[in-house]
Amino acid sequence: DGRVLKEDILAHLRKISATPDVRTKVFPGKDMAGKTVELKGYTKHMWKTMTRSLSIPHFVYSDECNVDQVIQCRNKVKNSLKDEGVSLSLMPFFVKAASRALERCPELNAWLNEEDKTLRILDSHNIGVAMDTSEGLVVPNIKNVQNLSVLAIARELNRLQELGRKSSIPLDDLVGTTFTLSNIGTIGGTYTKPVILPPQIIIGAFGRAQKVPRFDDDGKVVPAQIMSISWAADHRVVDGVTMAKFSNLWKHYVENPVHLLIGA
Ligand code: CAO
């Protein structure tokens, strides 16, 4: 009579578990099957840092950001910069926006000392960029972003990406990070919850920008490039209002990138 009975499900389960195809199915990465892989390099370091992060009470704050203007801005100069050997992506704008927002919220550019229960506020905006390399995840930083133009940040990022490709980022580029950004949107994914890298107290992450319908000021539906942003803050020392204030500032700079092009 069309009903699926318990016996039907059991019969189906017996059938699929007895099918040789299912049991001996070959998955991609077959050569790795049965092998024990030793954790090394960047992955070994990730184990240590992420285990330490587990003890941090994460407060996650998410929003969306319209990246229409910043994309237009980048597209206007992308090709001419390429001729000069500079690859300009969106990331240098995001990094500069973080530095501008930190100028207004200096208490977020800080290291937490858990033993002393003190917060060391830092002058230099050494902004770490999570980077996917053949050796795994690594987070080199761009030093003194507060003194750098968007173009100078792009050059630095290009240098670090080149070193990352060769897995030869020197220690000096890996130490002293005060604030971190992670752009998983280069690969995919709409939302992500980032994990703080102690002793830092904040990390930001971006999803993939996508063209979606939004209302304009006149109530008309218009296409907009929207990117999700998520900030994770150490809730022992950062409250939600401070996080929201910082996020609004960052968003303001990215949505109005002309402000990023004026000054350093
Ligand atoms: N949405 C849509 N497109 C994006 C994007 C986003 N959020 N971010 C970058 N893009 C675009 C870039 O503009 C570029 O476009 P073109 O091909 O038109 O030039 C393209 O994606 C590739 O960018 P890229 O990777 O060359 O450079 P980038 O500066 O944007 O990113 C870096 C640099 C280091 C962030 C990136 O290479 C990377 O490694 N991302 C992965 C980070 C990661 O692993 N995070 C997870 C950490 S937790 O495990």
Side-chain angles (χ1 to χ4, degrees):
D1 61 359
R3 281 180 306 152
V4 179
L5 303 173
K6 187 177 162 190
E7 292 74 49
D8 298 323
I9 296 170
L10 289 172
H12 176 70
L13 288 176
R14 271 194 292 273
K15 192 174 151 201
I16 60 168
S17 64
T19 309
D21 241 357
V22 173
R23 279 179 290 132
T24 57
K25 180 114 182 132
V26 175
F27 296 97
K30 172 184 157 228
D31 298 347
M32 300 293 282
K35 280 195 182 153
T36 301
V37 181
E38 196 192 329
L39 300 183
K40 50 187 177 188
Y42 295 148
T43 309
K44 207 167 171 182
H45 184 71
M46 181 165 74
W47 172 288
K48 270 195 215 152
T49 326
M50 292 297 107
T51 306
R52 236 180 109 195
S53 302
L54 267 181
S55 65
I56 301 174
H58 281 61
F59 169 80
V60 179
Y61 177 95
S62 302
D63 201 352
E64 59 177 41
C65 179
N66 184 316
V67 287
D68 278 335
Q69 280 198 40
V70 75
I71 288 176
Q72 272 175 30
C73 196
R74 175 221 178 201
N75 287 349
K76 275 187 187 152
V77 290
K78 181 176 103 170
N79 289 337
S80 55
L81 285 175
K82 201 161 215 155
D83 294 341
E84 291 174 33
V86 182
S87 164
L88 178 71
S89 65
L90 299 177
M91 205 56 191
F93 294 91
F94 300 161
V95 169
K96 188 67 193 173
S99 175
R100 277 286 157 87
L102 284 174
E103 282 169 11
R104 308 266 295 272
C105 303
E107 71 279 16
L108 298 182
N109 191 57
W111 286 332
L112 179 69
N113 185 323
E114 295 191 0
E115 303 218 328
D116 300 355
K117 294 198 174 50
T118 54
L119 206 51
R120 185 167 156 213
I121 319 276
L122 301 138
D123 290 333
S124 302
H125 298 169
N126 297 342
I127 302 201
V129 176
M131 196 173 275
D132 177 46
T133 73
S134 54
E135 300 278 307
L137 171 71
V138 65
V139 189
N141 64 59
I142 301 172
K143 296 214 164 47
N144 290 307
V145 171
Q146 76 281 5
N147 299 331
L148 300 181
S149 64
V150 171
L151 179 60
I153 296 168
R155 286 188 203 278
E156 262 302 272
L157 188 58
N158 288 178
R159 180 183 72 81
L160 294 170
Q161 279 180 289
E162 188 54 40
L163 290 167
R165 271 189 278 277
K166 294 185 274 182
S167 298
S168 58
I169 302 178
L171 188 63
D172 193 44
D173 288 317
L174 297 170
V175 296
T177 310
T178 61
F179 189 97
T180 296
L181 295 176
S182 170
N183 184 3
I184 196 77
T186 53
I187 296 156
T190 308
Y191 310 103
T192 176
K193 173 185 170 282
V195 179
I196 298 165
L197 304 171
Q200 296 163 61
I201 55 172
I202 298 220
I203 183 169
F206 319 118
R208 186 159 192 77
Q210 296 170 72
K211 197 178 265 184
V212 291
R214 284 291 180 271
F215 290 106
D216 69 7
D217 292 343
D218 301 325
K220 286 199 197 103
V221 176
V222 291
Q225 293 271 357
I226 298 294
M227 184 181 79
S228 81
I229 51 172
S230 290
W231 306 100
D234 187 329
H235 212 346
R236 292 171 297 185
V237 288
V238 181
D239 60 38
V241 171
T242 309
M243 194 63 264
K245 191 177 135 201
F246 175 87
S247 181
N248 288 342
L249 280 167
W250 183 87
K251 196 172 139 166
H252 164 77
Y253 285 120
V254 172
E255 293 188 343
N256 302 280
V258 68
H259 293 286
L260 299 174
L261 305 175
I262 298 167

